[in-house]
Amino acid sequence: MSKLIETKHLGRVYGDDGVRTVALDDVSIEIDKGEFVAVMGPSGSGKSTLLHILALLDKQTSGSYKFDGKTISSYSEDEMARVRNEKVGFVFQAFNLLPRTTVLDNVELPLLYSDIPEHKWKDMALRAIKIVDLEHRLDHESNQLSGGEKQRVAIARALVNNPEIIFADEPTGNLDTKASHDLMKIINALNKEGHTVIVITHEEEIADYARRIIRLRDGKLEEDRRTK
């Protein structure tokens, strides 16, 4: 396997000299293409900060980060945006769907910011919607869906560009037990198809789907172990 993510002595500090909050402190990890990793830790441990840096939504204040072999600090803002759009898919706890907008239109949204010709958008969106088994909800607006269906739409939207890696931040946080496991089965199947997956969760039974667990505490790497 080849390395997709490599951090060395990664640090993230918020604030200035007056009030400084250390969110990450000396975190060094490597993640290969095709891995399924769960990131765990108590509230305030740095989980979301790490995900935001790895997903190119934030930048570290110390240390280095290579994504797909290239140091992030060498990327221009336009290159960062292109990589986020083409290689990265996001799934968030709050769904982040457009209200009173159809499932199809929500899934097509990332394509608005791509170089892909518009005539291809619908077929790409339909393929992603089929993966999450929501063809029967195609023309329903997002506010007409259950929580589990909304999160499946969010996964379809994350998949529409066929990204190399999927980041999921507490994706089951607003779901009941059945919907949570249905969702994780979809994510697990995507990983088996070759997508790299990084999931932030505080639930052990959700982390059980992963094949590696990284634990943070107080911004530091506490544990990094393979489970399968």
Side-chain angles (χ1 to χ4, degrees):
M1 282 187 170
S2 57
K3 275 184 284 195
L4 181 61
I5 282 170
E6 181 182 7
T7 75
K8 290 185 177 179
H9 310 297
L10 200 70
R12 182 64 170 100
V13 177
Y14 295 99
D16 52 31
D17 292 337
V19 180
R20 297 172 75 252
T21 300
V22 178
L24 289 177
D25 183 9
D26 195 28
V27 175
S28 297
I29 57 174
E30 295 180 1
I31 295 174
D32 290 333
K33 293 180 179 180
E35 284 204 75
F36 188 161
V37 181
V39 180
M40 305 189 74
S43 179
S45 62
K47 301 188 303 295
S48 291
T49 299
L50 178 62
L51 180 136
H52 288 161
I53 292 173
L54 298 184
L56 312 181
L57 298 173
D58 193 11
K59 292 183 179 180
Q60 73 272 19
T61 48
S62 61
S64 64
Y65 173 30
K66 285 185 179 180
F67 180 86
D68 208 9
K70 185 172 180 179
T71 302
I72 290 302
S73 58
S74 68
Y75 280 79
S76 68
E77 289 300 324
D78 286 345
E79 285 177 315
M80 292 269 282
R82 180 182 56 77
V83 171
R84 279 195 299 267
N85 190 255
E86 294 178 1
K87 294 191 175 185
V88 176
F90 306 97
V91 181
F92 299 107
Q93 180 178 348
F95 315 132
N96 292 350
L97 302 181
L98 296 176
R100 293 180 294 281
T101 303
T102 67
V103 167
L104 181 63
D105 287 341
N106 266 288
V107 174
E108 284 185 343
L109 186 62
L111 301 176
L112 291 171
Y113 308 99
S114 73
D115 296 326
I116 297 168
E118 189 172 350
H119 70 269
K120 294 185 178 182
W121 292 1
K122 185 173 182 180
D123 284 346
M124 292 176 69
L126 289 174
R127 173 190 168 277
I129 291 166
K130 184 176 182 179
I131 289 172
V132 299
D133 195 24
L134 276 181
E135 301 103 308
H136 61 294
R137 292 292 209 179
L138 200 65
D139 297 317
H140 286 70
E141 295 181 352
S142 61
N143 55 317
Q144 297 174 309
L145 306 177
S146 69
E149 289 172 333
K150 288 178 180 177
Q151 197 59 296
R152 280 193 276 162
V153 174
I155 289 178
R157 183 183 58 195
L159 286 176
V160 73
N161 272 338
N162 194 30
E164 188 157 2
I165 184 167
I166 298 168
F167 291 97
D169 191 356
E170 298 281 5
T172 61
N174 289 325
L175 305 180
D176 62 28
T177 300
K178 182 182 183 305
S180 294
H181 286 289
D182 288 346
L183 184 80
M184 291 308 299
K185 286 174 184 175
I186 293 171
I187 291 176
N188 193 45
L190 292 169
N191 174 249
K192 288 181 177 179
E193 288 177 7
H195 294 278
T196 306
V197 176
I198 298 179
V199 174
I200 285 183
T201 184
H202 63 276
E203 300 175 73
E204 294 287 349
E205 61 187 32
I206 298 302
D208 283 343
Y209 284 90
R211 280 167 280 286
R212 177 180 171 189
I213 294 178
I214 290 172
R215 292 184 191 272
L216 299 177
R217 183 175 294 275
D218 299 328
K220 292 180 177 290
L221 184 63
E222 183 179 59
E223 180 184 36
D224 184 355
R225 64 181 172 90
R226 300 190 185 278
T227 58
K228 298 175 184 176

